[in-house]
Amino acid sequence: MVTALDSHRSVKLWRRLAESALTPRRAAQMIVALTLAVTIIGGVLIWLVDHDEFPDLGTSLWWSLQTVTTVGYGDVVPHATSGRLIGAVLM
């Protein structure tokens, strides 16, 4: 459950990020962190939504990593429309 204090902390964090100078190192760190977060969130979402095709979290995270990096081996694919939508957003 998100509380007002958590929301306030998030706002403070975003303000601090916006106000500080963006160096190449910081930009790279932000890109890595965002890509990692998107990969994990995508893997968990597809596991929850299309549990028939993705019976375990490891398979889901593998699919998510393939999708984010646009490798797409095709060994695991979502068949449900909701799963395909998650894949489209992830790409």
Side-chain angles (χ1 to χ4, degrees):
M1 183 182 267
V2 177
T3 64
L5 181 59
D6 291 335
S7 178
H8 178 69
R9 287 180 183 161
S10 295
V11 170
K12 283 176 61 175
L13 174 65
W14 282 110
R15 280 190 189 150
R16 190 167 22 132
L17 287 172
E19 291 172 355
S20 56
L22 186 63
T23 63
R25 179 184 178 105
R26 227 174 116 238
Q29 289 172 340
M30 290 175 71
I31 290 169
V32 167
L34 184 62
T35 303
L36 184 61
V38 166
T39 303
I40 292 171
I41 290 168
V44 170
L45 277 176
I46 197 72
W47 178 60
L48 293 172
V49 170
D50 199 356
H51 205 65
D52 292 335
E53 289 297 319
F54 300 92
D56 58 78
L57 192 55
T59 304
S60 303
L61 290 172
W62 173 247
W63 171 82
S64 182
L65 181 64
Q66 289 179 29
T67 303
V68 167
T69 59
T70 65
V71 173
Y73 293 123
D75 56 343
V76 187
V77 294
H79 292 288
T81 303
S82 55
R84 291 178 180 202
L85 286 172
I86 291 172
V89 170
L90 210 56
M91 284 188 265

Coordinates of all heavy atoms in Angstrom, one line a residue:
M1 N 0.8 -1.2 0.0 CA 0.0 0.0 0.0 C 0.9 1.2 0.0 O 1.8 1.4 0.8 CB -0.9 0.0 1.2 CG -1.9 1.1 1.3 SD -2.9 1.1 2.8 CE -4.3 0.2 2.2
V2 N 0.6 2.1 -0.9 CA 1.4 3.4 -1.0 C 0.8 4.4 -0.1 O -0.4 4.7 -0.1 CB 1.4 3.9 -2.5 CG1 2.1 5.2 -2.5 CG2 2.0 2.9 -3.4
T3 N 1.7 4.9 0.8 CA 1.3 5.9 1.7 C 1.7 7.3 1.2 O 2.4 7.5 0.2 CB 1.9 5.7 3.1 OG1 3.3 5.9 3.0 CG2 1.6 4.3 3.6
A4 N 1.1 8.3 1.9 CA 1.5 9.7 1.5 C 3.0 10.0 1.7 O 3.6 10.7 0.9 CB 0.6 10.7 2.3
L5 N 3.5 9.4 2.7 CA 5.0 9.5 3.0 C 5.8 8.9 1.8 O 6.8 9.6 1.3 CB 5.4 8.9 4.3 CG 6.8 9.0 4.7 CD1 7.2 10.5 4.8 CD2 7.1 8.3 6.0
D6 N 5.4 7.8 1.3 CA 6.1 7.1 0.2 C 6.0 8.0 -1.1 O 7.0 8.2 -1.8 CB 5.5 5.8 -0.1 CG 5.8 4.7 0.9 OD1 6.8 4.9 1.7 OD2 5.1 3.8 1.1
S7 N 4.8 8.6 -1.3 CA 4.6 9.5 -2.4 C 5.5 10.7 -2.3 O 6.0 11.2 -3.3 CB 3.1 9.8 -2.5 OG 2.9 10.7 -3.6
H8 N 5.5 11.3 -1.1 CA 6.3 12.5 -0.9 C 7.8 12.2 -1.1 O 8.5 13.0 -1.7 CB 6.1 13.0 0.5 CG 6.9 14.2 0.9 ND1 6.7 15.4 0.3 CD2 8.0 14.3 1.7 CE1 7.6 16.3 0.8 NE2 8.4 15.6 1.7
R9 N 8.3 11.0 -0.7 CA 9.7 10.6 -0.9 C 10.0 10.5 -2.4 O 11.0 10.9 -2.9 CB 10.0 9.3 -0.2 CG 10.1 9.4 1.2 CD 10.4 8.1 1.9 NE 10.4 8.2 3.3 CZ 10.3 7.2 4.2 NH1 10.2 6.0 3.7 NH2 10.4 7.4 5.4
S10 N 9.0 9.9 -3.2 CA 9.2 9.8 -4.6 C 9.3 11.1 -5.3 O 10.1 11.3 -6.2 CB 8.0 9.0 -5.2 OG 8.0 7.7 -4.7
V11 N 8.5 12.1 -4.9 CA 8.5 13.4 -5.5 C 9.8 14.1 -5.2 O 10.4 14.7 -6.0 CB 7.3 14.3 -4.9 CG1 7.5 15.7 -5.3 CG2 6.0 13.7 -5.5
K12 N 10.3 13.9 -3.9 CA 11.6 14.5 -3.5 C 12.7 13.9 -4.4 O 13.6 14.6 -4.8 CB 11.9 14.3 -2.0 CG 11.1 15.3 -1.2 CD 11.3 15.0 0.3 CE 12.7 15.2 0.7 NZ 12.9 15.0 2.2
L13 N 12.7 12.6 -4.6 CA 13.7 11.9 -5.4 C 13.7 12.4 -6.8 O 14.8 12.8 -7.3 CB 13.5 10.4 -5.3 CG 14.4 9.6 -6.2 CD1 15.9 9.7 -5.7 CD2 14.0 8.2 -6.3
W14 N 12.6 12.6 -7.4 CA 12.5 13.0 -8.8 C 13.0 14.5 -8.9 O 13.6 14.9 -9.9 CB 11.1 12.9 -9.4 CG 10.8 11.5 -9.8 CD1 9.9 10.6 -9.2 CD2 11.4 10.8 -10.9 NE1 10.0 9.4 -9.8 CE2 10.8 9.5 -10.9 CE3 12.3 11.1 -11.8 CZ2 11.2 8.5 -11.8 CZ3 12.6 10.2 -12.8 CH2 12.1 8.9 -12.7
R15 N 12.6 15.3 -7.9 CA 13.1 16.7 -7.9 C 14.6 16.8 -7.8 O 15.3 17.5 -8.5 CB 12.5 17.5 -6.8 CG 11.1 17.9 -7.0 CD 10.6 18.9 -6.0 NE 9.2 19.2 -6.1 CZ 8.4 19.4 -5.1 NH1 8.8 19.5 -3.9 NH2 7.1 19.7 -5.4
R16 N 15.2 15.9 -7.0 CA 16.6 15.9 -6.8 C 17.3 15.5 -8.1 O 18.3 16.0 -8.5 CB 17.0 15.0 -5.6 CG 18.5 15.2 -5.2 CD 18.8 14.5 -3.9 NE 17.9 13.5 -3.5 CZ 18.2 12.3 -3.0 NH1 19.5 12.0 -3.0 NH2 17.3 11.4 -2.7
L17 N 16.7 14.5 -8.7 CA 17.3 14.0 -10.0 C 17.2 15.0 -11.1 O 18.1 15.2 -11.9 CB 16.6 12.7 -10.4 CG 16.9 11.4 -9.7 CD1 16.0 10.3 -10.1 CD2 18.3 11.0 -9.8
A18 N 16.1 15.8 -11.1 CA 15.9 16.8 -12.1 C 16.8 18.0 -11.9 O 17.2 18.7 -12.9 CB 14.5 17.2 -12.2
E19 N 17.1 18.3 -10.7 CA 17.9 19.5 -10.4 C 19.4 19.3 -10.5 O 20.2 20.2 -10.8 CB 17.6 20.0 -9.0 CG 16.2 20.6 -8.8 CD 15.9 20.9 -7.4 OE1 16.7 20.5 -6.5 OE2 14.8 21.4 -7.2
S20 N 19.9 18.1 -10.4 CA 21.3 17.9 -10.4 C 21.8 17.7 -11.9 O 21.0 17.3 -12.8 CB 21.7 16.6 -9.6 OG 21.0 15.5 -10.0
A21 N 23.1 18.0 -12.1 CA 23.6 17.9 -13.5 C 23.7 16.5 -14.0 O 24.0 15.6 -13.2 CB 25.0 18.5 -13.5
L22 N 23.4 16.3 -15.2 CA 23.4 15.0 -15.8 C 24.7 14.8 -16.5 O 25.0 15.3 -17.6 CB 22.2 14.8 -16.8 CG 22.0 13.4 -17.4 CD1 21.7 12.4 -16.3 CD2 21.0 13.5 -18.4
T23 N 25.6 14.0 -15.9 CA 26.8 13.6 -16.5 C 26.7 12.3 -17.3 O 25.7 11.6 -17.1 CB 27.9 13.4 -15.3 OG1 27.5 12.3 -14.6 CG2 28.0 14.6 -14.5
P24 N 27.6 12.1 -18.1 CA 27.6 10.8 -18.9 C 27.5 9.6 -18.0 O 26.8 8.6 -18.3 CB 28.8 10.8 -19.7 CG 29.2 12.2 -19.9 CD 28.8 12.9 -18.6
R25 N 28.2 9.6 -16.9 CA 28.2 8.5 -16.0 C 26.8 8.3 -15.3 O 26.3 7.2 -15.2 CB 29.3 8.7 -14.9 CG 29.3 7.6 -13.9 CD 30.3 7.9 -12.8 NE 30.3 6.8 -11.8 CZ 31.3 5.9 -11.7 NH1 32.3 5.9 -12.5 NH2 31.2 5.0 -10.7
R26 N 26.3 9.4 -14.9 CA 24.9 9.4 -14.3 C 23.9 9.0 -15.3 O 22.9 8.2 -15.0 CB 24.6 10.7 -13.7 CG 24.0 10.6 -12.3 CD 23.8 11.9 -11.6 NE 22.4 11.9 -11.4 CZ 21.6 12.8 -11.8 NH1 22.0 13.8 -12.4 NH2 20.3 12.7 -11.6
A27 N 24.0 9.4 -16.5 CA 23.1 9.0 -17.6 C 23.1 7.5 -17.8 O 22.1 6.8 -17.9 CB 23.4 9.8 -18.9
A28 N 24.3 7.0 -17.9 CA 24.5 5.5 -18.1 C 23.9 4.8 -16.9 O 23.3 3.7 -17.1 CB 26.0 5.2 -18.2
Q29 N 24.1 5.2 -15.7 CA 23.6 4.6 -14.5 C 22.0 4.6 -14.5 O 21.4 3.6 -14.2 CB 24.1 5.3 -13.2 CG 25.5 5.0 -12.9 CD 26.0 5.8 -11.7 OE1 25.4 6.9 -11.4 NE2 27.1 5.4 -11.2
M30 N 21.5 5.7 -15.0 CA 20.0 5.8 -15.0 C 19.5 4.9 -16.1 O 18.4 4.2 -15.9 CB 19.6 7.2 -15.3 CG 19.8 8.1 -14.1 SD 19.5 9.9 -14.4 CE 17.7 9.8 -14.5
I31 N 20.2 4.8 -17.2 CA 19.7 3.9 -18.3 C 19.8 2.4 -17.9 O 18.8 1.7 -18.1 CB 20.6 4.1 -19.6 CG1 20.3 5.5 -20.2 CG2 20.4 3.0 -20.6 CD1 21.2 5.9 -21.3
V32 N 20.8 2.0 -17.2 CA 20.9 0.7 -16.7 C 19.9 0.4 -15.7 O 19.2 -0.7 -15.7 CB 22.4 0.4 -16.1 CG1 22.4 -0.9 -15.3 CG2 23.4 0.4 -17.2
A33 N 19.7 1.3 -14.7 CA 18.6 1.1 -13.7 C 17.2 1.0 -14.3 O 16.5 0.1 -13.9 CB 18.7 2.2 -12.7
L34 N 16.9 1.9 -15.2 CA 15.6 1.8 -15.9 C 15.4 0.6 -16.7 O 14.3 -0.1 -16.6 CB 15.4 3.1 -16.7 CG 14.0 3.2 -17.4 CD1 13.0 3.4 -16.3 CD2 14.0 4.4 -18.3
T35 N 16.4 0.2 -17.4 CA 16.3 -1.1 -18.2 C 16.2 -2.3 -17.3 O 15.3 -3.2 -17.6 CB 17.6 -1.2 -19.1 OG1 17.7 -0.1 -19.9 CG2 17.5 -2.5 -20.0
L36 N 16.9 -2.3 -16.2 CA 16.7 -3.4 -15.3 C 15.3 -3.5 -14.7 O 14.7 -4.5 -14.6 CB 17.8 -3.3 -14.2 CG 17.9 -4.4 -13.2 CD1 18.2 -5.8 -13.8 CD2 18.9 -4.1 -12.1
A37 N 14.8 -2.3 -14.3 CA 13.5 -2.2 -13.7 C 12.4 -2.7 -14.7 O 11.5 -3.4 -14.4 CB 13.2 -0.8 -13.2
V38 N 12.5 -2.2 -15.9 CA 11.6 -2.6 -17.0 C 11.6 -4.1 -17.3 O 10.6 -4.7 -17.4 CB 11.8 -1.7 -18.3 CG1 11.1 -2.3 -19.4 CG2 11.4 -0.3 -18.1
T39 N 12.8 -4.6 -17.3 CA 13.0 -6.1 -17.5 C 12.3 -6.9 -16.4 O 11.6 -7.8 -16.7 CB 14.4 -6.4 -17.7 OG1 15.0 -5.6 -18.7 CG2 14.6 -7.9 -18.0
I40 N 12.6 -6.5 -15.2 CA 12.0 -7.3 -14.1 C 10.5 -7.1 -14.0 O 9.7 -8.1 -13.8 CB 12.7 -6.8 -12.7 CG1 14.1 -7.3 -12.8 CG2 11.9 -7.4 -11.5 CD1 15.0 -6.8 -11.6
I41 N 10.0 -5.9 -14.2 CA 8.6 -5.6 -14.1 C 7.9 -6.4 -15.2 O 6.8 -7.0 -15.1 CB 8.3 -4.1 -14.2 CG1 8.7 -3.4 -12.9 CG2 6.8 -3.8 -14.4 CD1 8.7 -1.9 -12.9
G42 N 8.4 -6.3 -16.4 CA 7.9 -7.0 -17.6 C 7.8 -8.5 -17.3 O 6.8 -9.2 -17.7
G43 N 8.9 -9.1 -16.8 CA 8.9 -10.5 -16.5 C 7.9 -10.9 -15.5 O 7.2 -11.9 -15.6
V44 N 7.7 -10.1 -14.4 CA 6.7 -10.4 -13.4 C 5.3 -10.3 -14.0 O 4.4 -11.1 -13.7 CB 6.9 -9.5 -12.2 CG1 5.7 -9.7 -11.2 CG2 8.2 -9.9 -11.5
L45 N 5.1 -9.2 -14.8 CA 3.7 -9.0 -15.3 C 3.3 -10.2 -16.3 O 2.2 -10.6 -16.2 CB 3.7 -7.7 -16.1 CG 3.4 -6.4 -15.3 CD1 3.5 -5.2 -16.2 CD2 2.1 -6.5 -14.6
I46 N 4.2 -10.6 -17.1 CA 3.9 -11.6 -18.1 C 3.7 -12.9 -17.3 O 2.8 -13.7 -17.7 CB 5.0 -11.8 -19.2 CG1 4.4 -12.6 -20.4 CG2 6.2 -12.5 -18.7 CD1 3.4 -11.9 -21.2
W47 N 4.4 -13.2 -16.3 CA 4.2 -14.4 -15.5 C 2.8 -14.4 -14.8 O 2.1 -15.4 -14.8 CB 5.3 -14.4 -14.4 CG 5.2 -15.6 -13.5 CD1 5.2 -16.9 -13.8 CD2 5.1 -15.5 -12.1 NE1 5.1 -17.7 -12.7 CE2 5.0 -16.8 -11.6 CE3 5.0 -14.5 -11.2 CZ2 4.9 -17.1 -10.2 CZ3 4.9 -14.8 -9.8 CH2 4.8 -16.1 -9.4
L48 N 2.4 -13.2 -14.3 CA 1.1 -13.1 -13.7 C -0.1 -13.2 -14.7 O -1.1 -13.8 -14.5 CB 1.0 -11.8 -12.9 CG 1.9 -11.7 -11.7 CD1 1.8 -10.2 -11.1 CD2 1.5 -12.7 -10.7
V49 N 0.1 -12.6 -15.9 CA -1.0 -12.5 -16.9 C -1.1 -13.8 -17.7 O -2.2 -14.2 -18.0 CB -0.7 -11.3 -17.8 CG1 -1.7 -11.3 -19.0 CG2 -0.9 -10.0 -17.0
D50 N 0.0 -14.3 -18.2 CA 0.0 -15.5 -19.1 C 0.6 -16.7 -18.4 O 1.7 -17.2 -18.9 CB 0.7 -15.1 -20.4 CG 0.3 -16.1 -21.5 OD1 -0.4 -17.0 -21.3 OD2 0.8 -15.8 -22.6
H51 N 0.1 -17.1 -17.3 CA 0.7 -18.2 -16.5 C 0.7 -19.5 -17.2 O 1.5 -20.3 -16.8 CB -0.1 -18.3 -15.1 CG 0.8 -18.8 -14.0 ND1 1.9 -18.2 -13.5 CD2 0.7 -20.0 -13.3 CE1 2.4 -18.9 -12.6 NE2 1.7 -20.0 -12.4
D52 N -0.1 -19.7 -18.2 CA -0.1 -21.0 -18.9 C 1.2 -21.1 -19.7 O 1.8 -22.2 -19.8 CB -1.3 -21.1 -19.8 CG -2.6 -21.3 -19.0 OD1 -2.5 -21.7 -17.9 OD2 -3.7 -20.9 -19.6
E53 N 1.6 -20.1 -20.4 CA 2.8 -20.1 -21.2 C 4.0 -19.9 -20.4 O 5.1 -20.3 -20.9 CB 2.7 -19.0 -22.3 CG 1.7 -19.3 -23.4 CD 2.0 -20.5 -24.2 OE1 3.2 -20.7 -24.5 OE2 1.1 -21.3 -24.5
F54 N 3.9 -19.2 -19.3 CA 5.1 -18.8 -18.5 C 4.9 -19.4 -17.1 O 4.5 -18.7 -16.2 CB 5.3 -17.3 -18.4 CG 5.5 -16.7 -19.8 CD1 4.5 -16.3 -20.5 CD2 6.8 -16.7 -20.3 CE1 4.7 -15.7 -21.8 CE2 7.0 -16.1 -21.6 CZ 5.9 -15.7 -22.3
P55 N 5.1 -20.7 -16.9 CA 4.8 -21.4 -15.6 C 5.7 -21.0 -14.5 O 5.3 -21.2 -13.3 CB 4.9 -22.9 -16.0 CG 5.9 -22.9 -17.1 CD 5.6 -21.6 -17.9
D56 N 6.9 -20.5 -14.8 CA 7.7 -20.1 -13.7 C 8.3 -18.7 -13.9 O 8.4 -18.3 -15.1 CB 8.8 -21.1 -13.4 CG 9.7 -21.4 -14.7 OD1 10.6 -20.5 -14.9 OD2 9.5 -22.4 -15.3
L57 N 8.8 -18.1 -12.9 CA 9.3 -16.7 -13.0 C 10.6 -16.7 -13.8 O 10.9 -15.7 -14.5 CB 9.6 -16.2 -11.6 CG 9.8 -14.7 -11.5 CD1 8.8 -13.9 -12.2 CD2 10.0 -14.3 -10.0
G58 N 11.4 -17.7 -13.7 CA 12.7 -17.8 -14.5 C 12.4 -17.7 -16.0 O 13.1 -16.9 -16.7
T59 N 11.5 -18.4 -16.5 CA 11.1 -18.4 -17.9 C 10.6 -17.0 -18.3 O 10.9 -16.5 -19.3 CB 10.0 -19.5 -18.2 OG1 10.5 -20.7 -17.8 CG2 9.7 -19.5 -19.7
S60 N 9.8 -16.4 -17.4 CA 9.2 -15.1 -17.7 C 10.3 -14.0 -17.7 O 10.3 -13.2 -18.6 CB 8.3 -14.7 -16.6 OG 7.2 -15.7 -16.4
L61 N 11.3 -14.1 -16.8 CA 12.4 -13.1 -16.8 C 13.3 -13.3 -18.1 O 13.8 -12.4 -18.6 CB 13.2 -13.2 -15.5 CG 12.5 -12.7 -14.3 CD1 13.3 -13.0 -13.0 CD2 12.2 -11.2 -14.4
W62 N 13.5 -14.6 -18.5 CA 14.2 -14.9 -19.7 C 13.6 -14.3 -20.9 O 14.2 -13.6 -21.7 CB 14.4 -16.4 -19.8 CG 15.0 -16.8 -21.1 CD1 14.5 -17.5 -22.2 CD2 16.4 -16.5 -21.5 NE1 15.4 -17.7 -23.2 CE2 16.6 -17.1 -22.8 CE3 17.5 -15.9 -20.9 CZ2 17.7 -17.0 -23.5 CZ3 18.7 -15.8 -21.7 CH2 18.8 -16.4 -22.9
W63 N 12.3 -14.5 -21.0 CA 11.5 -13.9 -22.1 C 11.6 -12.3 -22.1 O 11.8 -11.7 -23.1 CB 10.0 -14.3 -22.1 CG 9.2 -13.5 -23.0 CD1 9.0 -13.8 -24.4 CD2 8.4 -12.4 -22.8 NE1 8.2 -12.9 -24.9 CE2 7.8 -12.0 -24.0 CE3 8.2 -11.6 -21.6 CZ2 7.0 -10.9 -24.1 CZ3 7.4 -10.5 -21.7 CH2 6.8 -10.2 -22.9
S64 N 11.5 -11.8 -20.9 CA 11.5 -10.3 -20.8 C 12.9 -9.8 -21.2 O 13.0 -8.8 -21.9 CB 11.2 -9.9 -19.3 OG 11.2 -8.5 -19.2
L65 N 14.0 -10.5 -20.8 CA 15.3 -10.0 -21.1 C 15.5 -10.1 -22.7 O 16.1 -9.2 -23.3 CB 16.3 -10.9 -20.4 CG 17.8 -10.6 -20.7 CD1 18.1 -9.2 -20.2 CD2 18.7 -11.6 -20.1
Q66 N 15.0 -11.2 -23.3 CA 15.1 -11.3 -24.7 C 14.3 -10.2 -25.4 O 14.8 -9.7 -26.4 CB 14.5 -12.7 -25.2 CG 15.3 -13.9 -24.8 CD 14.5 -15.1 -25.3 OE1 13.8 -15.0 -26.3 NE2 14.7 -16.2 -24.6
T67 N 13.2 -9.9 -24.9 CA 12.3 -8.9 -25.5 C 12.9 -7.5 -25.4 O 13.0 -6.7 -26.4 CB 10.9 -8.9 -24.9 OG1 10.4 -10.2 -25.0 CG2 10.0 -7.9 -25.6
V68 N 13.5 -7.1 -24.2 CA 14.1 -5.8 -24.0 C 15.3 -5.6 -24.9 O 15.5 -4.6 -25.4 CB 14.4 -5.6 -22.5 CG1 15.3 -4.4 -22.3 CG2 13.1 -5.5 -21.7
T69 N 16.1 -6.7 -25.0 CA 17.3 -6.6 -25.8 C 17.0 -6.8 -27.3 O 18.0 -6.8 -28.1 CB 18.4 -7.6 -25.3 OG1 17.9 -8.9 -25.4 CG2 18.8 -7.2 -23.9
T70 N 15.8 -7.1 -27.7 CA 15.4 -7.4 -29.1 C 16.0 -8.6 -29.7 O 16.2 -8.7 -30.9 CB 15.5 -6.1 -30.0 OG1 16.9 -5.8 -30.2 CG2 14.8 -4.9 -29.5
V71 N 16.5 -9.5 -28.9 CA 17.1 -10.7 -29.4 C 16.0 -11.6 -29.9 O 16.0 -12.1 -31.1 CB 17.9 -11.5 -28.3 CG1 18.4 -12.8 -28.8 CG2 19.1 -10.6 -27.9
G72 N 15.0 -11.9 -29.1 CA 13.8 -12.7 -29.5 C 14.1 -14.0 -30.1 O 13.8 -14.2 -31.3
Y73 N 14.6 -14.9 -29.4 CA 14.9 -16.2 -29.9 C 13.7 -17.0 -30.4 O 13.8 -17.8 -31.2 CB 15.7 -17.1 -28.8 CG 17.0 -16.6 -28.5 CD1 17.4 -16.3 -27.2 CD2 18.0 -16.5 -29.5 CE1 18.6 -15.8 -26.9 CE2 19.3 -16.0 -29.2 CZ 19.6 -15.7 -27.9 OH 20.8 -15.2 -27.6
G74 N 12.6 -16.7 -29.7 CA 11.3 -17.4 -30.1 C 11.1 -18.7 -29.4 O 10.1 -19.4 -29.7
D75 N 11.9 -19.0 -28.4 CA 11.7 -20.2 -27.7 C 10.5 -20.1 -26.7 O 9.9 -21.1 -26.4 CB 13.0 -20.7 -27.0 CG 13.5 -19.7 -26.0 OD1 13.2 -18.5 -26.2 OD2 14.4 -20.0 -25.2
V76 N 10.2 -18.9 -26.3 CA 9.1 -18.7 -25.4 C 8.4 -17.5 -25.9 O 9.0 -16.4 -26.1 CB 9.6 -18.4 -24.0 CG1 8.4 -18.3 -23.0 CG2 10.5 -19.5 -23.5
V77 N 7.1 -17.6 -26.2 CA 6.3 -16.5 -26.7 C 4.9 -16.5 -26.1 O 4.4 -17.5 -25.8 CB 6.1 -16.5 -28.3 CG1 7.4 -16.4 -29.0 CG2 5.5 -17.8 -28.7
P78 N 4.4 -15.3 -25.8 CA 3.1 -15.2 -25.2 C 2.0 -15.5 -26.3 O 2.2 -15.0 -27.5 CB 3.0 -13.8 -24.7 CG 3.9 -13.0 -25.5 CD 5.0 -14.0 -25.9
H79 N 1.0 -16.2 -26.0 CA -0.1 -16.5 -26.9 C -1.3 -15.7 -26.6 O -2.1 -15.4 -27.5 CB -0.4 -18.0 -27.0 CG 0.7 -18.8 -27.6 ND1 1.0 -18.8 -28.9 CD2 1.6 -19.6 -27.0 CE1 2.1 -19.5 -29.1 NE2 2.5 -20.1 -28.0
A80 N -1.5 -15.3 -25.4 CA -2.7 -14.5 -25.0 C -2.5 -13.1 -25.5 O -1.4 -12.6 -25.6 CB -2.8 -14.5 -23.5
T81 N -3.6 -12.4 -25.8 CA -3.6 -11.1 -26.3 C -2.9 -10.1 -25.2 O -2.1 -9.3 -25.5 CB -5.0 -10.6 -26.6 OG1 -5.5 -11.5 -27.6 CG2 -5.0 -9.2 -27.2
S82 N -3.3 -10.3 -24.0 CA -2.7 -9.5 -22.9 C -1.2 -9.7 -22.8 O -0.5 -8.7 -22.6 CB -3.4 -9.8 -21.6 OG -3.3 -11.2 -21.3
G83 N -0.7 -10.9 -23.0 CA 0.7 -11.1 -23.0 C 1.4 -10.5 -24.2 O 2.5 -9.9 -24.0
R84 N 0.8 -10.5 -25.3 CA 1.3 -9.8 -26.5 C 1.4 -8.3 -26.3 O 2.3 -7.7 -26.8 CB 0.6 -10.2 -27.7 CG 0.8 -11.7 -28.1 CD 0.0 -12.1 -29.3 NE 0.2 -13.5 -29.6 CZ 0.1 -14.0 -30.7 NH1 -0.4 -13.3 -31.7 NH2 0.3 -15.3 -30.9
L85 N 0.4 -7.8 -25.6 CA 0.4 -6.3 -25.4 C 1.5 -6.0 -24.4 O 2.2 -4.9 -24.6 CB -1.0 -5.9 -24.7 CG -2.1 -5.8 -25.7 CD1 -3.4 -5.6 -24.9 CD2 -1.9 -4.8 -26.7
I86 N 1.8 -6.8 -23.4 CA 2.9 -6.5 -22.5 C 4.2 -6.6 -23.3 O 5.1 -5.8 -23.2 CB 2.9 -7.6 -21.4 CG1 1.7 -7.3 -20.4 CG2 4.2 -7.5 -20.6 CD1 1.5 -8.4 -19.4
G87 N 4.3 -7.5 -24.2 CA 5.5 -7.6 -25.1 C 5.7 -6.4 -26.0 O 6.8 -5.9 -26.1
A88 N 4.6 -5.9 -26.5 CA 4.7 -4.7 -27.4 C 5.1 -3.5 -26.5 O 5.9 -2.7 -27.0 CB 3.3 -4.4 -28.0
V89 N 4.6 -3.3 -25.3 CA 5.0 -2.2 -24.5 C 6.5 -2.4 -24.1 O 7.2 -1.4 -24.0 CB 4.1 -2.1 -23.3 CG1 4.6 -1.1 -22.2 CG2 2.7 -1.7 -23.7
L90 N 6.9 -3.6 -23.8 CA 8.2 -3.9 -23.4 C 9.3 -3.5 -24.4 O 10.3 -3.1 -24.2 CB 8.4 -5.4 -23.0 CG 9.3 -5.7 -21.9 CD1 9.1 -5.0 -20.6 CD2 9.3 -7.2 -21.6
M91 N 8.9 -3.8 -25.7 CA 9.8 -3.5 -26.8 C 9.9 -2.0 -27.0 O 10.9 -1.5 -27.3 CB 9.3 -4.1 -28.1 CG 9.5 -5.6 -28.2 SD 9.2 -6.2 -29.8 CE 7.5 -6.8 -29.5

